[in-house]
Amino acid sequence: MKEKLEYPLSKLPNDNENAGRKFGFYTSDKLAQLFDTNNTCFQKYPEIFLADLLGLCAGARTTAAITLQFGDFKQVDGIWYIHFRKNDKHKRLKNPATERKWPISKQLIEWGLVDLILQKKKAVHAAVTDFIFARTVFFLSAEKHRIQKNNTSNNRTKFDPATKFFGPQKTYMSNEIGIKDTDDTIYAFHAFRHTANRTAKAVGIDKEMRNHLIGWEGETTPEKFYSDYTPEEIKENADKMYYPEEVLHLEAWKPVIHDLYLHSEKISKKRGKYKPKIKTD
């Protein structure tokens, strides 16, 4: 029987906990730096790469990205969706708009995201309720054992699985490529969400559709509670979300990320920088 994870991510602090500071967005130059093929963080933590794509393309919030389950990937009438929802106590939604079925964009479909998730599910004999990221399971388990060891549930927010999940990336960005927080701007995973919104606007997606795709709560009552878009219209707009190869280097990363996500035993467990030795048959 699989170990039950008791620690709910709903106990984590809100994304806007840094009062007085705002989340930035990633310019094309910053994205090109981060997704450069020499990024040793992605080479060691392929799950961070995948989560970043969900932030950039779907505008996923931090906790929503890392708590996705295999059952959240589903096909309806020929369209593949990711269902962002609160169907598990470890998940957290900021507002009703955050719960949505996001039609996976053409770029990610062609990159093989759905096939990758399905292959992983089959390889590890996963249930639909299992998390797609092993790092999420690890950090939730670590927190559960910490609470049991101390026999207390106090100060839970001092241990933040979401922060732990992306910790290596934050360190890499700051130390290796010079993308650092400033006095008034935060460069964290949530900044991908703001980048997604700017990208959607740049490719001509109107505000109401952007709200729908990215999960923003609208300003007016119709924006908040009504949507008369067909699934085909939503999919058509999702497919407009596109990042050039020279920015994300998706084709260059594809064999590396796919291989390491499916075969985690190939990832070096040594601390510090390294170049992964990809095993070949």
Side-chain angles (χ1 to χ4, degrees):
M1 179 180 295
K2 295 185 179 180
E3 183 179 18
K4 189 176 181 181
L5 302 175
E6 298 294 344
Y7 178 67
L9 286 182
S10 59
K11 298 292 184 180
L12 297 183
N14 291 327
D15 288 331
N16 60 354
E17 62 178 327
N18 295 280
R21 304 172 77 195
K22 63 180 181 180
F23 287 100
F25 63 90
Y26 296 101
T27 62
S28 294
D29 288 343
K30 281 185 169 62
L31 288 177
Q33 282 182 286
L34 180 58
F35 283 83
D36 185 272
T37 53
N38 291 317
N39 185 325
T40 54
C41 177
F42 289 157
Q43 293 167 357
K44 193 169 184 178
Y45 303 103
E47 292 183 344
I48 293 180
F49 181 98
L50 295 174
D52 285 355
L53 290 186
L54 297 175
L56 274 174
C57 298
R61 295 181 184 276
T62 309
T63 303
I66 72 169
T67 56
L68 282 173
Q69 300 163 308
F70 286 99
D72 293 329
F73 289 73
K74 57 186 65 177
Q75 187 179 39
V76 180
D77 295 331
I79 299 176
W80 275 98
Y81 294 89
I82 295 177
H83 194 176
F84 294 101
R85 53 181 172 167
K86 186 174 174 56
N87 63 316
D88 184 285
K89 65 183 179 181
H90 300 103
K91 296 184 176 184
R92 185 186 70 214
L93 299 179
K94 184 175 182 179
N95 54 52
T98 306
E99 179 161 357
R100 65 201 187 280
K101 293 179 180 178
W102 179 72
I104 302 175
S105 62
K106 179 180 179 181
Q107 186 172 32
L108 292 190
I109 291 287
E110 293 180 346
W111 187 75
L113 178 64
V114 172
D115 291 338
L116 180 61
I117 297 300
L118 295 179
Q119 288 180 57
K120 182 71 171 183
K121 181 177 183 294
K122 181 179 180 180
V124 299
H125 306 288
V128 294
T129 54
D130 288 340
F131 296 117
I132 67 171
F133 295 135
R135 285 178 65 75
T136 300
V137 177
F138 174 81
F139 287 124
L140 287 174
S141 297
E143 173 61 358
K144 176 185 176 182
H145 290 302
R146 185 187 73 85
I147 292 174
Q148 291 177 338
K149 181 179 180 180
N150 297 332
N151 194 30
T152 179
S153 61
N154 294 331
N155 300 319
R156 284 185 174 183
T157 57
K158 290 184 177 181
F159 183 95
D160 183 344
T163 299
K164 285 285 187 180
F165 189 103
F166 293 106
Q169 175 162 273
K170 187 73 172 176
T171 300
Y172 176 84
M173 288 169 55
S174 177
N175 295 348
E176 301 299 327
I177 57 177
I179 300 178
K180 302 179 180 182
D181 294 348
T182 65
D183 290 340
D184 59 359
T185 304
I186 303 169
Y187 288 103
F189 181 85
H190 194 79
F192 288 126
R193 181 170 169 81
H194 291 262
T195 307
N197 185 55
R198 292 175 66 90
T199 300
K201 184 177 181 179
V203 298
I205 300 176
D206 65 46
K207 182 178 179 181
E208 188 173 344
M209 178 61 80
R210 294 200 305 273
N211 288 346
H212 188 94
L213 286 172
I214 298 174
W216 292 111
E217 189 171 48
E219 299 175 356
T220 65
T221 298
E223 286 180 350
K224 288 184 179 182
F225 301 108
Y226 301 99
S227 174
D228 57 359
Y229 297 117
T230 67
E232 291 75 19
E233 289 173 328
I234 299 170
K235 169 63 173 168
E236 178 183 356
N237 279 273
D239 286 346
K240 293 179 182 178
M241 295 289 287
Y242 174 84
Y243 295 89
E245 177 66 16
E246 62 268 23
V247 174
L248 298 189
H249 308 289
L250 287 182
E251 289 308 307
W253 276 113
K254 182 176 180 177
V256 176
I257 298 301
H258 282 226
D259 193 41
L260 295 179
Y261 178 65
L262 293 174
H263 306 285
S264 59
E265 72 278 3
K266 298 182 180 182
I267 302 175
S268 170
K269 300 302 187 290
K270 294 180 180 179
R271 292 182 177 272
K273 298 179 182 179
Y274 87 111
K275 287 285 187 178
K277 295 181 179 180
I278 307 299
K279 296 180 180 179
T280 57
D281 297 327

